[in-house]
Amino acid sequence: MTEFDAASAAVQAALDAGARYADARVMHRRYESMSARNGAIEELTQDESIGLGVRALVGSSWGFHAVPELSDAAARDAGRRAAAIAAASARVPGPPIDLVPTKAAVASWASSCRVDPLGVALSDKGDLLVGATATMREHGADLAEGLYQIWDTAKWFVSSEGHRIDQRIRECGGGISATSIGDGETQRRSYPSYRGQYGTTGWELVESLDLTAHAARIAEESRALLTAPECPAGETDLILGGEQLALQIHESVGHAIELDRILGWEAAFAGTSWLDLAQLGSLRYGSELMNVTIDPTIPGALGSFGFDDEGSPAVRRDAVREGRWVGVLAGRDSAAVAGLDYGGSVRADGWARLPMVRMTNVGLEPGPHTLDEIIAATDDGVLMDVNRSWSIDDKRLNFQFGCEIGWEVKNGRRGRMLRNPTYTGIGPLFWRSMDMLSSETVAWGTPNCGKGQPGQVGHTGHPAAPARFRSVRVGVHA
C-alpha cells in the first residue's frame, strides 16, 4: 500500500466503527546526531522509524491508536481501535466537542534545503566537531563539547473531511560549548546558544555558524569567567541578548498562550496559564514595543511547516499587538470550545503520539534600535546573554533565569565581564518594562520543548533581538 492508501484505510475503518470524524498520519522519520568531546568523536546515533497514527472523534471524546506498519489490515485495525477508545471515553459525559472549520486541502509542501544534511559525509561532519573541540581545549577549556542533530521527516495526512496532504520537513543544527573548572567554581560558554542553533533547512545552516571560528573565543571566555566579579544584586536596567530573550519568549509568552493550558487541559505535567480568555483582546501584556507573532511561514525557522497535523494551513497571526494580548496557539477542538475561529498550531513529535497544541514560531517583531544604541542609552545596567538555567511557575507567571555571561553597563559603555548573572520577574510586569528593542533579529530554534503525557519533544522557533527592561531585580539576594 502507499502511505496515502494506509491513512485512507484507517480513516474509513474509524468512520465505519462509529466515529463522526477521523484523521490519520503516516510519518517516516530519519534522525542522525553526532557528538564530540575534547577533540574526539564521542557518539554517533542514527535512527529511522515509520508508522501510522489515527485519531477518531466519538461524541465529546477523542481516541487514538498507532501501529508501526502500513498494511491494509493493520491500518483498518488501528482505525477501529481508535474509534473504540473514543467510544469508551464518551461513556463519561463531557461537553460537546466541535471542530473549527478548515478547508479540505489536497497539497504538497517541502521545506527549503540547499545541502541535504544526511548527504554530507560523516567524516566531514566529524572533522568539524573534532576540530572545534580540539581548538577549545587548546585555548583553555577543561571540557570541550560539540554536537549536531538532523531530522528528515516525511508526512502523509488524510482526514474524513477530504484532506490529502504530504510534506517533507528537513531540520538540522548544532553548536559547541567550553567548560572551565576553577577553585570551587565552574563556568561554561556556548556558541551560538546553550543548546546550539537549529532551523528547518539544510546543512547550509551549520556551515553558516562557522563553529571553528568561534571555538577559541568561547574557551577563553569560559576561563575568564572563573575570576570575573560576581553579578551584583539589586534593581537595575537589564539588557538581554537575543538568545536569552528567545527563551524568555518561549517560557513566559509561548507556553502561556497555548490554549489547552488556558482551558486547563494541560495541567498535570507542566501547568496551566495565568491568562484568562475573558481578557483576550483587552489585557495589557507588555509595553507598546511588544509585538509577538505566531508565524509558521517564516522560511528556515524551526517552527515552520506548510500544514499542521490537523491539516490546517500555516498562517501568520498576532499573539500580542502593541502590548495587548490578541491571539493564542490553538487546535480545531480547543478553538471551538473557546469560541475562536482558527486553529493551526497542532503537532505531534512522531507517528505514535497524539497531536496537541504546540508552539510554532512565536517571536518578537523587530524594534527601532540597535544593541549599540541600547547600551549607549543606558547609564547603569547589566547586559546578560546565553541561557544557563531557567525556572518558571506552573502558571507561566513568576520566573528566574540565569545566563552564562554578563557585562556591567555604565554611562553608555559596556564594561567588565560578570559571572553568574541572574534576573527575576513577573511576566506582564517584566514585559511592560521593555522600553528599547533592537532590529537585529535572529530566528532562534528550540529543538527540546517538552510537553504532554506521554512526553513529547517539540521543535519551536523564536525570532528575537536584544532589548532593554527597566528596574529589574538581578543577582542573588541575601
Side-chain angles (χ1 to χ4, degrees):
M1 301 182 75
T2 69
E3 293 84 2
F4 275 132
D5 289 341
S8 297
V11 167
Q12 189 58 53
L15 296 176
D16 293 342
R20 60 186 176 94
Y21 168 86
D23 59 37
R25 290 172 299 110
V26 173
M27 291 182 65
H28 177 202
R29 171 170 285 172
R30 293 185 292 165
Y31 171 76
E32 179 181 293
S33 69
M34 184 185 294
S35 60
R37 177 178 291 184
N38 295 344
I41 297 299
E42 184 175 44
E43 184 176 15
L44 170 66
T45 300
Q46 293 176 312
D47 291 326
E48 184 171 3
S49 69
I50 188 169
L52 176 148
V54 54
R55 296 192 308 173
L57 184 59
V58 175
S60 61
S61 298
W62 286 106
F64 177 78
H65 193 74
V67 291
E69 60 177 297
L70 304 184
S71 68
D72 182 74
R76 292 185 182 279
D77 183 60
R80 288 190 292 267
R81 287 176 180 267
I85 293 168
S89 299
R91 292 172 190 159
V92 179
I97 289 182
D98 294 314
L99 302 177
V100 168
T102 186
K103 183 179 179 181
V106 177
S108 295
W109 186 87
S111 59
S112 63
C113 177
R114 293 200 305 272
V115 181
D116 180 2
L118 291 177
V120 177
L122 284 173
S123 58
D124 292 343
K125 291 182 279 197
D127 288 346
L128 172 64
L129 298 183
V130 167
T133 56
T135 298
M136 288 186 285
R137 285 282 286 169
E138 293 166 2
H139 286 262
D142 293 299
L143 177 63
E145 298 175 295
L147 168 75
Y148 75 77
Q149 296 184 86
I150 299 165
W151 299 265
D152 189 338
T153 305
K155 302 181 182 183
W156 296 263
F157 177 80
V158 172
S159 81
S160 58
E161 296 176 334
H163 292 86
R164 191 178 175 94
I165 301 166
D166 65 272
Q167 300 186 80
R168 186 177 182 190
I169 301 173
R170 285 182 277 195
E171 306 157 301
C172 70
I176 54 176
S177 66
T179 301
S180 294
I181 302 170
D183 184 13
E185 187 78 29
T186 299
Q187 293 292 332
R188 167 177 162 151
R189 284 290 287 126
S190 305
Y191 172 81
S193 87
Y194 77 96
R195 63 188 168 265
Q197 169 65 325
Y198 296 84
T200 302
T201 183
W203 191 251
E204 60 270 15
L205 170 61
V206 177
E207 292 175 338
S208 71
L209 298 176
D210 202 357
L211 300 178
T212 303
H214 293 269
R217 173 182 61 83
I218 69 164
E220 291 164 358
E221 287 180 353
S222 73
R223 186 142 297 278
L225 281 167
L226 292 174
T227 55
E230 192 90 12
C231 177
E235 191 171 282
T236 190
D237 291 344
L238 172 66
I239 302 171
L240 289 183
E243 191 272 354
Q244 176 60 28
L245 193 56
L247 184 73
Q248 182 75 51
I249 294 166
H250 180 99
E251 298 293 348
S252 68
V253 180
H255 278 307
I257 64 171
E258 291 170 335
L259 184 54
D260 56 349
R261 291 184 188 273
I262 296 170
L263 293 174
W265 295 2
E266 168 70 6
F269 178 61
T272 56
S273 172
W274 65 276
L275 293 169
D276 181 347
L277 272 177
Q279 296 180 298
L280 182 63
S282 62
L283 175 73
R284 175 60 61 180
Y285 207 123
S287 73
E288 292 187 355
L289 278 176
M290 187 183 187
N291 294 295
V292 177
T293 59
I294 300 165
D295 190 359
T297 70
I298 299 173
L302 191 61
S304 295
F305 49 80
F307 297 83
D308 79 348
D309 285 350
E310 293 187 307
S312 298
V315 174
R316 180 186 183 279
R317 301 185 189 281
D318 286 339
V320 179
R321 178 54 50 187
E322 295 182 350
R324 187 166 50 92
W325 177 41
V326 295
V328 297
L329 294 151
R332 296 180 63 192
D333 54 357
S334 57
V337 169
L340 304 175
D341 63 357
Y342 60 87
S345 299
V346 167
R347 290 184 290 167
D349 77 351
W351 53 267
R353 291 290 182 262
L354 182 69
M356 63 171 65
V357 174
R358 300 307 302 257
M359 281 180 254
T360 61
N361 299 310
V362 179
L364 277 169
E365 290 186 347
H369 310 110
T370 67
L371 176 58
D372 287 344
E373 289 171 348
I374 295 172
I375 293 172
T378 303
D379 291 330
D380 185 13
V382 178
L383 167 62
M384 302 185 191
D385 202 14
V386 184
N387 184 258
R388 184 174 182 178
S389 65
W390 66 95
S391 176
I392 193 164
D393 69 11
D394 59 1
K395 289 185 176 294
R396 301 286 157 171
L397 183 61
N398 300 283
F399 62 82
Q400 179 173 335
F401 293 110
C403 295
E404 287 185 355
I405 193 168
W407 292 271
E408 192 175 63
V409 177
K410 294 288 187 182
N411 301 317
R413 294 181 179 274
R414 183 191 304 208
R416 58 181 182 166
M417 182 186 295
L418 301 173
R419 64 185 166 98
N420 302 331
T422 64
Y423 66 99
T424 187
I426 300 172
L429 299 181
F430 179 79
W431 286 107
R432 291 169 196 167
S433 76
M434 181 172 67
D435 72 336
M436 296 188 78
L437 174 63
S438 171
S439 61
E440 300 151 317
T441 298
V442 173
W444 294 98
T446 300
N448 60 333
C449 176
K451 187 179 177 182
Q453 290 177 301
Q456 298 191 35
V457 178
H459 294 182
T460 67
H462 302 290
R468 186 176 73 176
F469 301 83
R470 307 303 297 270
S471 301
V472 177
R473 291 182 63 188
V474 305
V476 177
H477 296 254

